[in-house]
Amino acid sequence: MKAVEVKKGIYWVGSVDWDLRNFHGYLTQRGSSYNAYLILDEKVTLIDNVKSHLAEDLIARISDIIDPAKIDYIVQNHIEMDHSGSLPALVERCPNAELFASPKGVEGIEKQYGITRKTTAVKSGDTLALGKRTLHFVQTPMVHWPDNMVSYCPEEKILFSNDAFGQHIASSERFDDEYSLGITMLEAAKYYANIVLPYSAQVQKALAVAETLDISIICPSHGLIWRTHIPEIMAAYRKWSANTTDRKALIIYDTMWKSTEMLAVAVKNAFERKGYSIQLINLQKNHISDIMTDILTASHICIGSPTLNNNILPTVAAFLTYLTGLAPRGRTGMAFGSYGWSGQSVGMVEESLKKCGFDMLEQVRIQYIPDEQTLLSVTKQVEDQI
Ligand code: FEO
């Protein structure tokens, strides 16, 4: 794949990772890309780079346009290794390049790679003159690490947004209007739910800054470049970062002898009767990172586990660990489950959901196999609360 011109003199020179299927626990069924951008100006500038195993691919793509030794500036918007892993190789191949990153970025580059040469820390409000163009830096800490920043080029109206607005998609297409918008938005939602969600307050601050900028292209560090559907992705980020939900209930469970599954169906029936959109999600058949995508817009999260060895099932424990780490807010939760004798599981699930700060519906805790009358009363109990 050749370099792709984003705008006259500005090229995508990143790498497509067709094989990626797991990004620290997040299933990436469509692979990903690590986007780097080359700006030809009086000062030749490279923004971000790619994972270390793709360094030669990046360098070959840059070489299609210009001798990498002619790069004057390397801007590192974020130092996570998917965007900085090729920095050691670049420093060798670009002997004159000066490096720019946020103060935390500069610190991380030294700690991760031992690179201190020609490195300058930049903060919000700082600018870098490239010639005809300028880069304006805005720090966006915790979107996604403390070092994150974005770079805005007012002359081209381009925002180089790094992780923000990204999607894990491997494709030969580079622009949002060349690829299915439905899939792009779904993958952007999955990316937000699994990577960005804990930092929604910081996203809102970054959005407030972005809304003051005149933007015609958003160049993220993963997936498609936004040039046509910017209003849609901006509206989605406003909704997701505000924890605004739809009238949607997720009933998420695992089961040993089907009793908890029967309760899950009874809970589902209550939401159906009240006209909610519902999803019945068996943890044995669904990946936690896909469930998180659905949680992004769900108003009610009901989680069921039977008791096993005075505890919850391992699948439920793994999901709750993931959920509490990603810290969605403003939802209503509910715990349910069956038990034989000790029955601790429902209380344990409830405690985890309370840690998320959810409002709670009354728990459902049933011994042995629920009969038809019990299931009807579970449905009524839930229905009466929603
Ligand atoms: Fe795509 Fe936080 O790295």
Side-chain angles (χ1 to χ4, degrees):
M1 189 185 297
K2 287 195 164 299
V4 176
E5 196 167 50
V6 176
K7 225 171 163 184
K8 192 162 176 48
I10 300 178
Y11 296 86
W12 172 89
V13 289
S15 291
V16 178
D17 195 343
W18 298 98
D19 287 344
L20 185 79
R21 290 295 178 272
N22 190 313
F23 196 93
H24 44 61
Y26 162 177
L27 273 198
T28 51
Q29 295 97 328
R30 290 189 171 86
S32 192
S33 71
Y34 316 112
N35 298 337
Y37 300 95
L38 183 71
I39 304 175
L40 300 187
D41 209 317
E42 288 167 30
K43 296 292 185 184
V44 177
T45 301
L46 179 69
I47 298 179
D48 291 326
N49 55 82
V50 302
K51 277 188 177 176
S52 57
H53 75 282
L54 293 163
E56 288 309 315
D57 184 58
L58 167 76
I59 288 165
R61 200 158 285 115
I62 294 169
S63 303
D64 273 351
I65 308 294
I66 196 168
D67 178 354
K70 292 186 175 164
I71 291 176
D72 299 292
Y73 296 154
I74 296 174
V75 172
Q76 197 70 62
N77 276 331
H78 179 25
I79 58 162
E80 191 167 7
M81 289 67 97
D82 49 337
H83 311 297
S84 70
S86 298
L87 198 53
L90 284 167
V91 165
E92 279 190 17
R93 307 287 266 277
C94 314
N96 302 314
E98 295 176 51
L99 190 56
F100 298 85
S102 70
K104 286 276 183 201
V106 169
E107 184 188 323
I109 286 166
E110 181 176 357
K111 286 183 176 162
Q112 287 186 169
Y113 304 114
I115 297 171
T116 53
R117 181 177 65 94
K118 295 181 182 175
T119 302
T120 302
V122 292
K123 294 182 176 171
S124 291
D126 289 349
T127 60
L128 181 64
L130 310 185
K132 293 196 295 291
R133 306 177 184 88
T134 323
L135 289 180
H136 293 233
F137 301 114
V138 180
Q139 289 171 269
T140 53
M142 301 318 296
V143 189
H144 153 229
W145 277 12
D147 67 291
N148 271 81
M149 65 176 192
V150 299
S151 304
Y152 174 64
C153 179
E155 295 83 0
E156 304 286 359
K157 301 182 182 175
I158 297 180
L159 180 68
F160 298 95
S161 64
N162 197 265
D163 277 339
F165 310 114
Q167 337 90 44
H168 282 314
I169 295 174
S171 60
S172 54
E173 296 81 2
R174 293 271 58 84
F175 296 97
D176 59 346
D177 47 30
E178 299 173 333
Y179 197 81
S180 157
L181 180 61
I183 293 174
T184 308
M185 290 301 293
L186 176 68
E187 291 297 339
K190 185 171 185 181
Y191 190 89
Y192 192 97
N194 286 276
I195 301 273
V196 186
L197 184 59
Y199 314 116
S200 288
Q202 292 89 336
V203 170
Q204 293 222 305
K205 284 186 197 154
L207 280 175
V209 174
E211 311 237 0
T212 67
L213 305 175
D214 188 5
I215 298 170
S216 63
I217 302 177
I218 297 175
C219 291
S221 59
H222 297 287
L224 284 307
I225 294 167
W226 301 94
R227 67 178 177 189
T228 299
H229 299 292
I230 291 174
E232 288 95 324
I233 189 64
M234 292 289 274
Y237 261 59
R238 279 193 290 275
K239 175 178 177 175
W240 299 333
S241 63
N243 274 293
T244 303
T245 55
D246 299 330
R247 195 174 156 79
K248 180 170 93 175
L250 305 187
I251 297 93
I252 302 161
Y253 69 97
D254 198 353
T255 196
M256 287 168 66
W257 294 105
K258 302 277 185 191
S259 294
T260 298
E261 186 169 74
M262 291 161 79
L263 295 175
V265 172
V267 172
K268 172 200 74 100
N269 290 344
F271 284 97
E272 265 183 339
R273 283 194 198 178
K274 285 290 182 95
Y276 280 73
S277 165
I278 62 98
Q279 283 174 254
L280 195 57
I281 300 172
N282 183 335
L283 280 163
Q284 290 180 26
K285 316 232 166 139
N286 294 274
H287 194 266
I288 55 177
S289 61
D290 288 319
I291 299 171
M292 277 312 301
T293 315
D294 293 316
I295 281 183
L296 190 57
T297 52
S299 56
H300 289 72
I301 298 163
C302 308
I303 300 184
S305 175
T307 297
L308 173 71
N309 302 330
N310 301 328
N311 214 318
I312 52 180
L313 286 182
T315 48
V316 180
F319 176 67
L320 286 170
T321 300
Y322 198 60
L323 176 73
T324 50
L326 289 166
R329 296 283 179 257
R331 273 77 171 170
T332 299
M334 185 194 147
F336 64 93
S338 73
Y339 67 100
W341 48 100
S342 55
Q344 296 95 331
S345 63
V346 177
M348 294 169 77
V349 170
E350 190 167 75
E351 279 312 302
S352 286
L353 294 175
K354 282 181 180 169
K355 270 191 211 154
C356 289
F358 293 173
D359 295 330
M360 297 299 297
L361 302 181
E362 190 184 338
Q363 63 171 238
V364 170
R365 183 170 170 273
I366 303 292
Q367 191 172 25
Y368 295 123
I369 303 170
D371 60 21
E372 194 173 344
Q373 195 52 46
T374 303
L375 292 171
L376 288 173
S377 49
V378 166
T379 300
K380 178 146 188 356
Q381 175 188 319
V382 177
E383 199 179 349
D384 286 347
Q385 297 179 74
I386 55 179

